[in-house]
Amino acid sequence: MAPAAAGGVAKTVAPPPAPRTRKSVTGTRRTAAALFLLPALVLLGALVVYPIGYSVVRSLYDRSGDSFAGVDNYRALFTDDGIRTALRNNVVWVVFAPTIATALGLVFAVLTERIRWGTAFKLIVFMPMAISMLAAGIIFRLVYDQDPDKGVANAVWVGVHDTFAESSAFPRAHPGRDSPLRPAGGGAFVTRAAVHSGETVVLPLVGVAPDRMPDSARNAVPPTPEPGKITGTTWQDFTRGKGVGTLAGVDPGELGYAGMRIEAVRDGTVVASAKAAPDGTFTLPAAADGAHLRLPASNFKEPYNGLDWLGPSLVTPAIIGAYIWMWAGFAMVLIAAGLAGIPRDLLEAARVDGADEWQVFRRITVPLLAPVLGVVTVTLMINVLKVFDLVFIIAPGSSQDDADVLALELYRKGFSEDEPGIASAIAVFLLLLVIPVMWFNIRRLRREVRR
Amino acid sequence: MTAEAGRLGRTAPEPARRPDPAAGPGRSLGARLTAAVGGGVVRTVLIVVALFWLVPTVGLLVSSLRAPADMSASGWWTVFGEPSRLTFDSYRNLLDNPDITDSLVNTVLITVPATVLVVVIGSLAGYAFAWMEFPGRDWWFLIVVGLLVVPVQVALIPIAELFGTLGLFGTVFGVVLFHVGFGLPFAVFLLRNFFAEIPRELLEAARLDGAGELRLFARVVMPLAGPAVASLGIFQFLWVWNDMLVALVFTKAGTQPITVALQTQVRQFGNNVDVLAPGAFISMVIPLVVFFAFQRQFVTGVMAGAVK
């Protein structure tokens, strides 16, 4: 690896050997040194150091900046509803996002180690790091779209849900005028009269939108009587564009309610049941003699519409999901680099001693990677504290208050609510949170730099 | 990444004959069984995960190629049944929109100078910290390193006021300055560490030939700095190109980069996917090209600079 890489990785993975004493080779004049440093120090002073001081001072003054306010702005951190929500969400972010991303990164790094196309996999998972949070935000707005016909998250979720739960095909179907059916409570419908074997029954309904009819529905067929059985038809008794046709009569072009469930109920118990054929016909055994026919409510439930990903309760986990999509690759690549540095002999020795792969992973790989895992987690924590774009873009206006985080609240307070004092207090608070890391970086480097 | 990944990919020996444990690095029977049974599972899991990671981006790409009417009628995945319905109309409309094209130009006008300046100023300072002698050198360097983790947010309000006073607010130059300021700690850190590894003999030889500091820097150090400059440049380039927050605060209509132009559209999300999807994709094209062309340098830069 190039020296740059060595230096770069050192930052996060393993410190390089301390450089030899580097005395100037030219016997530098101080003016030359000053000239080399001047641009950087001026810019850093004006754009990074000065703002820190300014924020600290500004945070002690009131909204207008004219009068000293003491710690009032800091008190607002714990009393202002918006900031409190933001704080709470930041805690959720800091606890979950870095740990999940690191855990996934570890799993991916270890699994890809033995796969030939591991590089291609890593490329795919790492790619989101290259794009902007704005683009990622737009990508996930599309993913999380509530409509299962648009958002892929809900499309998959509804698909899974409907595989395991009974789905209904006829939302909003209901009896038309002069129908032989009447509501039976709870969304079910029941025949007004009892049915008898050898007779035919018609169960017409109206109100199913044409595009909601099941694809398997065929033109309805009137029932034909069969001795010892009850036969019937259930169908959409409405011909589009041709008037109402015959009420309670099967007209050409009317579709059968394919798959409708029919129950024969006598004295409150189901004695027989049937499912309608694509043409709407069904047959019940003689056991149903004298019963009323019921169309249970499960036929008419609104279809399951998936989760409200960007609603108040799920919006933060949803955005954390988008963040993990972006940053798991980062964890994976750093951990993979650390993994490459683990002495093979150690793993082999353990395997020879009879350890299985899980034990090797648990007892050797993870402990040896602990420093890398720590660095990755801490790095992500700092990163997460500053998360702004993703929340700003993904959370719709209606749930932005629920998704609020400190960086977003700072932006709102500072630039749309004209509260620079409180915004500065948030800034100082954010800075305080990263100071331990700052100190850690300096301390580690001091050992290297000093002679 | 390719280097390590390639190496990692080849470390696991294929399960073959039963190895004699005493004969050297081999794997126990149990491990080989696990590998044989688990291999298929691992592959399946990884394929599912890879799909999971690809689908969101593919969704954006496909959405950007659909007519608005199609988009409100059905999910983007239905397009695989009728690929003929794809169209470049959204892109054509977008690129006919001067707001968008201007903002793309602004993105370039912000990103290129912000990258070049960080490399130049960072190199000068990195060289000084590595090879010049002056009082408190190491302390100055440690302070710069300490600034690595300062959140950008801390500077938004103070610099907004400062730029207001200086008349820089809303200018491209102001945004460039801000990015340079916050890019410098990492630049100085990376380059100083790189320069410090240059063999002393090289510099001494040039010195004996009578080269001054500037000549040493320009003729000896910088020509060797290619890899470090590449990592830094790519990292800074992507950082600035992808930035939204800084530009959101410091630009105004006319100087907005593409990210800010697009975020104003997000507020009406739903009926303007035909603007957002191709817009987001256009804003991603350059970063993705850079990513695929310079994976190695990019990974190096990200690894070193992730603390930002």
Side-chain angles (χ1 to χ4, degrees):
Chain A
M1 205 185 258
V9 175
K11 175 95 194 76
T12 42
V13 181
R20 294 156 298 158
T21 302
R22 284 166 299 99
K23 284 238 186 282
S24 163
V25 286
T26 57
T28 322
R29 278 164 315 177
R30 286 183 185 180
T31 44
L35 286 175
F36 270 74
L37 284 170
L38 197 64
L41 293 186
V42 166
L43 285 171
L44 282 171
L47 294 160
V48 187
V49 178
Y50 158 76
I52 295 174
Y54 182 101
S55 293
V56 171
V57 174
R58 187 68 187 79
S59 70
L60 300 173
Y61 281 81
D62 71 352
R63 179 181 198 155
S64 63
D66 294 332
S67 54
F68 189 76
V71 293
D72 283 4
N73 291 323
Y74 290 94
R75 202 170 292 138
L77 291 184
F78 303 98
T79 52
D80 181 287
D81 279 346
I83 303 178
R84 281 174 59 177
T85 314
L87 267 174
R88 212 172 26 242
N89 283 335
N90 260 95
V91 170
V92 172
W93 270 90
V94 168
V95 169
F96 289 102
T99 43
I100 298 176
T102 308
L104 283 178
L106 174 64
V107 171
F108 295 167
V110 170
L111 289 187
T112 46
E113 214 189 353
R114 29 187 89 238
I115 301 284
R116 216 168 293 118
W117 40 270
T119 309
F121 177 88
K122 284 178 179 164
L123 214 55
I124 289 172
V125 175
F126 194 61
M127 184 207 68
M129 284 271 334
I131 68 172
S132 63
M133 292 236 176
L134 167 96
I138 293 174
I139 286 175
F140 276 87
R141 272 299 272 271
L142 288 169
V143 166
Y144 288 135
D145 199 304
Q146 160 77 65
D147 184 348
D149 282 337
K150 289 187 201 159
V152 72
N154 260 348
V156 171
W157 184 258
V158 169
V160 170
H161 179 275
D162 287 355
T163 311
F164 294 105
E166 209 178 322
S167 70
S168 71
F170 312 103
R172 302 211 184 121
H174 56 90
R177 275 187 296 139
D178 304 332
S179 173
L181 288 160
R182 62 177 176 81
F189 302 108
V190 71
T191 51
R192 294 173 195 279
V195 295
H196 299 285
S197 48
E199 290 179 0
T200 64
V201 205
V202 290
L203 304 174
L205 293 173
V206 294
V208 180
D211 62 339
R212 282 291 180 79
M213 286 295 281
D215 293 337
S216 58
R218 298 285 168 270
N219 283 339
V221 175
T224 43
E226 276 184 55
K229 286 182 177 161
I230 298 161
T231 52
T233 302
T234 180
W235 81 103
Q236 172 106 319
D237 188 23
F238 177 78
T239 317
R240 203 178 171 80
K242 293 178 191 167
V244 290
T246 331
L247 270 182
V250 177
D251 300 308
E254 292 178 344
L255 292 174
Y257 283 144
M260 178 81 81
R261 259 182 73 79
I262 299 110
E263 295 172 346
V265 185
R266 193 165 48 210
D267 305 329
T269 48
V270 178
V271 292
S273 68
K275 207 164 208 179
D279 58 10
T281 58
F282 60 91
T283 309
L284 287 163
D289 190 77
H292 286 77
L293 297 192
R294 181 168 72 182
L295 302 175
S298 62
N299 289 316
F300 310 111
K301 270 191 313 204
E302 282 293 325
Y304 181 64
N305 230 353
L307 295 171
D308 189 8
W309 295 101
L310 300 181
S313 52
L314 282 181
V315 65
T316 294
I319 302 173
I320 290 177
Y323 178 89
I324 289 169
W325 179 78
M326 286 193 83
W327 286 85
F330 164 81
M332 174 189 70
V333 168
L334 278 184
I335 294 169
L339 210 53
I342 292 183
R344 293 287 122 190
D345 316 1
L346 219 55
L347 303 183
E348 293 305 337
R351 287 180 182 130
V352 168
D353 286 348
D356 62 31
E357 288 302 308
W358 171 247
Q359 286 171 321
V360 171
F361 175 76
R362 183 72 195 74
R363 300 280 168 77
I364 300 177
T365 311
V366 170
L368 283 177
L369 282 178
V372 181
L373 297 177
V375 167
V376 170
T377 312
V378 169
T379 304
L380 289 177
M381 280 178 174
I382 298 180
N383 190 282
V384 154
L385 281 179
K386 298 182 283 184
V387 69
F388 169 84
D389 310 31
L390 276 183
V391 181
F392 190 69
I393 297 297
I394 297 181
S398 55
S399 50
Q400 204 158 75
D401 285 343
D402 301 286
D404 211 354
V405 287
L406 284 176
L408 177 61
E409 192 55 28
L410 183 153
Y411 175 80
R412 287 169 148 198
K413 285 278 187 293
F415 298 97
S416 48
E417 291 171 25
D418 193 28
E419 287 278 9
I422 297 181
S424 297
I426 300 178
V428 173
F429 183 67
L430 279 177
L431 187 66
L432 287 177
L433 291 177
V434 298
I435 276 184
V437 181
M438 197 186 269
W439 180 76
F440 179 75
N441 273 346
I442 291 179
R443 221 180 55 134
R444 194 176 38 175
L445 252 143
R446 199 172 56 189
R447 259 180 274 132
E448 273 171 50
V449 160
R450 272 197 152 169
R451 17 196 125 117
Chain B
M1 167 159 64
T2 45
E4 292 106 47
R7 217 182 308 133
L8 286 177
R10 262 172 263 118
T11 45
E14 290 293 317
R17 306 170 286 112
R18 176 180 187 162
D20 176 8
R27 295 165 65 192
S28 71
L29 184 60
R32 287 194 295 127
L33 280 177
T34 317
V37 178
V41 178
V42 167
R43 277 189 186 96
T44 317
V45 168
L46 287 180
I47 288 172
V48 169
V49 170
L51 282 177
F52 209 79
W53 246 258
L54 273 178
V55 161
T57 317
V58 173
L60 178 80
L61 176 61
V62 172
S63 296
S64 72
L65 293 169
R66 300 182 79 204
D70 287 357
M71 218 132 37
S72 49
S74 59
W76 56 262
W77 49 91
T78 58
V79 91
F80 296 110
E82 37 181 4
S84 60
R85 293 185 71 88
L86 292 179
T87 159
F88 282 102
D89 285 355
S90 298
Y91 284 93
R92 224 167 277 137
N93 293 337
L94 200 71
L95 294 176
D96 279 342
N97 179 346
D99 286 349
I100 298 293
T101 46
D102 288 355
S103 68
L104 277 170
V105 172
N106 286 333
T107 293
V108 175
L109 289 181
I110 292 169
T111 309
V112 173
T115 307
V116 173
L117 282 174
V118 155
V119 169
V120 172
I121 298 174
S123 302
L124 287 170
Y127 174 76
F129 281 126
W131 289 108
M132 290 173 140
E133 247 182 317
F134 53 91
R137 177 177 85 175
D138 294 337
W139 282 109
W140 282 105
F141 180 61
L142 290 176
I143 291 172
V144 173
V145 172
L147 297 179
L148 264 172
V149 289
V150 173
V152 168
Q153 279 88 353
V154 172
L156 295 180
I157 291 173
I159 299 297
E161 303 238 344
L162 181 69
F163 281 3
T165 317
L166 298 177
L168 288 175
F169 196 89
T171 62
V172 166
F173 182 62
V175 184
V176 169
L177 268 189
F178 190 98
H179 281 304
V180 174
F182 271 83
L184 273 176
F186 174 56
V188 173
F189 168 77
L190 183 81
L191 292 169
R192 180 262 176 208
N193 283 354
F194 184 88
F195 292 158
E197 304 281 319
I198 294 176
R200 181 179 196 82
E201 296 72 28
L202 275 179
L203 292 154
E204 273 166 354
R207 182 63 190 143
L208 287 178
D209 291 344
E213 290 289 3
L214 199 59
R215 209 178 147 80
L216 269 184
F217 171 74
R219 293 291 164 81
V220 180
V221 172
M222 284 317 279
L224 293 171
V229 166
S231 286
L232 170 66
I234 286 159
F235 186 76
Q236 174 76 4
F237 181 90
L238 289 176
W239 181 266
V240 178
W241 185 283
N242 286 336
D243 162 75
M244 181 185 81
L245 175 59
V246 174
L248 189 63
V249 172
F250 293 108
T251 58
K252 57 181 186 212
T255 54
Q256 293 176 340
I258 183 79
T259 47
V260 177
L262 286 177
Q263 75 77 28
T264 56
Q265 293 277 342
V266 175
R267 296 290 144 240
Q268 305 119 45
F269 191 93
N271 44 20
N272 56 355
V273 179
D274 58 317
V275 177
L276 285 175
F281 210 80
I282 285 176
S283 82
M284 284 163 57
V285 166
I286 299 287
L288 286 180
V289 168
V290 170
F291 171 71
F292 283 111
F294 304 100
Q295 287 161 43
R296 246 186 97 120
Q297 290 87 342
F298 177 62
V299 169
T300 311
V302 165
M303 278 178 157
V307 280
K308 245 182 116 165

